[in-house]
Amino acid sequence: DAGVTQSPTHLIKTRGQQVTLRCSPKSGHDTVSWYQQALGQGPQFIFQYYEEEERQRGNFPDRFSGHQFPNYSSELNVNALLLGDSALYLCASSLASLVGAKNIQYFGAGTRLSVL
Amino acid sequence: DAKTTQPNSMESNEEEPVHLPCNHSTISGTDYIHWYRQLPSQGPEYVIHGLTSNVNNRMASLAIAEDRKSSTLILHRATLRDAAVYYCILLSNFGNEKLTFGTGTRLTIIP
């Protein structure tokens, strides 16, 4: 049973460019959340997708957008990259029917984005 | 979101028990206490969660204070593979499923 997979593992971009990160959730999961983790910090919630719609959003600008596909996989897009966007981007999947405290999230290993 | 406070770092000897504390003085009655850990070069992984009673699973135990304002994650016999950053997170039981991470406790295991 494959866990959460993310691609690519590493990425180098320059300021102003656009980037797309991809995530395949754990088998059977229908909800995908994205987090940004700066060096030495805990992950920060970006947004969550369920039934192909953004259900919750953290305090991130509109340059960060996403998409969920019918097979539950997801993409994170970041436009007009800034140096401060350099971070580890984590994808987590979960099952919407397990609400509240039962909603355990399973994380991928992340995509390391470097903006030069 | 209710906040948690954890020590920045802790050290422990291999094969000894480790007690990782977490303070959450503003916890509400419907908040569960969750622990996740992040091994080097990996994403966070779920460890354990509880509400009021102490909890045990194959990875760890969770001891919750009677007033619920603090909790302790217990690793009964630490191994080198337990070296990680441990996060204590409060999660409402009313559908708010985003995880709010602090900076966690970096646990170093001494061989």
Side-chain angles (χ1 to χ4, degrees):
Chain A
D1 177 25
V4 178
T5 58
Q6 293 186 242
S7 63
T9 54
H10 294 85
L11 204 51
I12 299 175
K13 292 286 188 178
T14 56
R15 278 181 299 174
Q17 284 189 312
Q18 177 264 343
V19 68
T20 298
L21 311 181
R22 295 176 176 82
C23 172
S24 292
K26 181 178 168 63
S27 177
H29 283 184
D30 54 13
T31 301
V32 173
S33 301
W34 287 92
Y35 294 80
Q36 179 196 65
Q37 186 173 25
L39 206 59
Q41 302 296 315
Q44 300 299 304
F45 176 76
I46 303 175
F47 44 52
Q48 182 182 85
Y49 276 84
Y50 171 66
E51 292 189 335
E52 302 179 49
E53 292 200 356
E54 183 181 290
R55 188 160 70 166
Q56 289 188 75
R57 188 178 184 93
N59 188 24
F60 279 81
D62 292 345
R63 297 187 299 108
F64 289 78
S65 63
H67 188 77
Q68 186 180 35
F69 298 94
N71 67 354
Y72 307 119
S73 67
S74 177
E75 289 182 350
L76 164 65
N77 301 293
V78 187
N79 293 323
L81 285 167
L82 304 174
L83 296 179
D85 295 332
S86 295
L88 180 68
Y89 288 85
L90 295 160
C91 169
S93 74
S94 56
L95 195 56
S97 59
L98 297 177
V99 297
K102 296 179 183 176
N103 195 274
I104 307 303
Q105 296 197 17
Y106 294 79
F107 286 79
T111 294
R112 173 73 61 189
L113 172 64
S114 297
V115 182
L116 305 178
Chain B
D1 295 328
K3 287 191 174 181
T4 62
T5 304
Q6 301 176 251
N8 288 332
S9 62
M10 291 183 63
E11 288 185 349
S12 180
N13 294 320
E14 192 177 11
E15 299 187 2
E16 295 204 348
V18 181
H19 291 224
L20 296 162
C22 180
N23 288 321
H24 29 78
S25 59
T26 60
I27 191 171
S28 76
T30 56
D31 285 340
Y32 278 72
I33 303 155
H34 283 237
W35 284 81
Y36 281 74
R37 72 178 185 180
Q38 188 170 17
L39 303 172
S41 301
Q42 294 189 28
E45 65 173 346
Y46 167 80
V47 177
I48 200 167
H49 78 276
L51 182 64
T52 55
S53 304
N54 295 344
V55 184
N56 301 295
N57 66 19
R58 63 174 181 82
M59 291 180 70
S61 296
L62 177 60
I64 301 172
E66 197 169 332
D67 64 5
R68 301 208 326 124
K69 293 185 177 181
S70 65
S71 60
T72 302
L73 180 71
I74 302 166
L75 308 179
H76 294 286
R77 198 162 167 267
T79 69
L80 295 177
R81 292 175 58 185
D82 292 319
V85 178
Y86 287 77
Y87 297 99
C88 169
I89 298 169
L90 301 183
L91 197 63
S92 168
N93 200 32
F94 289 110
N96 181 9
E97 297 139 5
K98 72 173 185 179
L99 298 175
T100 302
F101 291 85
T103 52
T105 297
R106 181 173 299 278
L107 176 65
T108 301
I109 304 298
I110 302 167

